[in-house]
Amino acid sequence: MTTASGDATGHTSSRGPRAGGTDRWLRRMAAAPNARARLICFPHAGGSAGFFFPLLQSLPDTVEAYAVQYPGRQDRLAEPCLTSVDELVDAVCEVLRQGPAMPLVLFGHSMGATLAFEVARRRERSGAGSPLGLIVSGRRAPSLQRTETVHQRDDAGLVAEIRRLSGTDDSLLDDPEIRGMFLPALRADYRAIETYRMAPGPPLGCPLSVFVGDADPRVSVAEAEAWREQAGGEISLQVFPGGHFYLSDRPEEFSGRLTAELHRLCGPVPGPR
């Protein structure tokens, strides 16, 4: 969930570049002068790019990290929110198409996992190339459909859902002004992910890594393991202690495991495609 100065877990960040033009979609989280690959991170429903900043400061020096900033929050507050996964994927794919010809690793948490998955599929189908790897976190496999209507609740119902996930400090949720700023984006994101249905298609052509908290109220370990159906090759499942926001509760452990995964996926990174 986006707040006035941070993200769904209450983290704030005053660092990172300001973006304009198509770059308004991508915020650099960690510079890498010797970068040979780019990590693109997709936030959860209601989340902002800044959510990832404290989690991406110990990456390999060959990987430059970026996070997606969805419209309708923070410095994009005046822009209309997008309310479907297809719209969000279309926009991100266009931004990546215009970017440097550098190998990619895609990482997404919760709703962001679905977006990262669909971007990977879209790029493979379009001939843009398979990513070096896809890392999905805190989200059940896309083949497991579930009827969910959080986006149809009133404001109190939306806030109750976020309290259940322990995504934000109660002091922020209790502030009417802050709620008024983040609830429209939160509702739009929930509408996008709750109305999403995966279209049939071949499995991915890249390695797939799955992260999940062992006490996540939104996804069980078995539901996370079902991502195996989308893997055409190798798959890695890693279970962390914690709930839906396990990565923020244990940032050092998460960062260490993500770094190890990037070393494994990127290895000797090939030149630009």
Side-chain angles (χ1 to χ4, degrees):
M1 172 191 323
T2 305
T3 67
S5 58
D7 52 65
T9 58
H11 293 298
T12 61
S13 173
S14 60
R15 300 169 61 186
R18 303 292 293 177
T22 57
D23 287 341
R24 71 186 186 276
W25 281 88
L26 294 180
R27 306 300 155 85
R28 193 172 69 182
M29 297 286 109
N34 301 315
R36 292 180 291 158
R38 302 174 92 197
L39 173 67
I40 309 296
C41 301
F42 296 76
H44 51 280
S48 66
F51 170 77
F52 292 107
F53 185 80
L55 304 173
L56 301 175
Q57 300 308 301
S58 302
L59 300 183
D61 61 8
T62 55
V63 178
E64 188 164 54
Y66 291 80
V68 176
Q69 183 80 313
Y70 309 136
R73 66 213 71 204
Q74 294 191 331
D75 59 345
R76 300 190 69 185
L77 190 63
E79 299 179 48
C81 298
L82 300 181
T83 58
S84 77
V85 166
D86 280 345
E87 289 177 307
L88 288 161
V89 170
D90 286 345
V92 174
C93 283
E94 177 61 19
V95 169
L96 294 178
R97 186 186 68 80
Q98 297 177 23
M102 187 177 291
L104 301 176
V105 176
L106 305 179
F107 169 77
H109 179 64
S110 195
M111 178 186 81
T114 299
L115 295 179
F117 166 68
E118 287 293 346
V119 168
R121 294 178 95 199
R122 183 80 56 86
R123 286 177 62 84
E124 288 185 350
R125 289 199 303 265
S126 69
S130 180
L132 295 176
L134 169 66
I135 306 172
V136 295
S137 167
R139 184 69 187 171
R140 66 182 181 273
S143 60
L144 301 179
Q145 296 186 5
R146 181 187 300 163
T147 300
E148 295 175 313
T149 57
V150 174
H151 73 282
Q152 296 176 358
R153 298 180 187 176
D154 60 15
D155 289 353
L158 277 176
V159 170
E161 175 66 12
I162 298 306
R163 290 189 197 276
R164 186 173 77 92
L165 297 178
S166 301
T168 300
D169 291 340
D170 284 345
S171 61
L172 297 175
L173 294 174
D174 292 338
D175 187 312
E177 183 177 355
I178 293 178
R179 286 203 309 270
M181 296 178 73
F182 68 66
L183 283 181
L186 181 66
R187 189 181 301 280
D189 289 353
Y190 265 96
R191 178 179 175 184
I193 194 59
E194 290 181 342
T195 57
Y196 163 78
R197 296 294 181 268
M198 185 190 76
L204 294 171
C206 65
L208 176 60
S209 306
V210 183
F211 291 178
V212 65
D214 61 4
D216 191 332
R218 298 283 295 179
V219 52
S220 68
V221 173
E223 289 174 323
E225 192 169 16
W227 276 96
R228 188 177 302 277
E229 301 169 10
Q230 308 307 322
E234 61 180 292
I235 181 170
S236 168
L237 174 66
Q238 299 195 38
V239 181
F240 293 73
H244 193 64
F245 288 102
Y246 71 89
L247 62 177
S248 296
D249 294 336
R250 306 171 72 95
E252 292 184 2
E253 179 179 354
F254 169 78
S255 181
R257 290 218 223 170
L258 176 63
T259 296
E261 214 42 21
L262 290 172
H263 277 302
R264 185 180 71 85
L265 293 171
C266 295
V269 180
R273 300 181 183 182

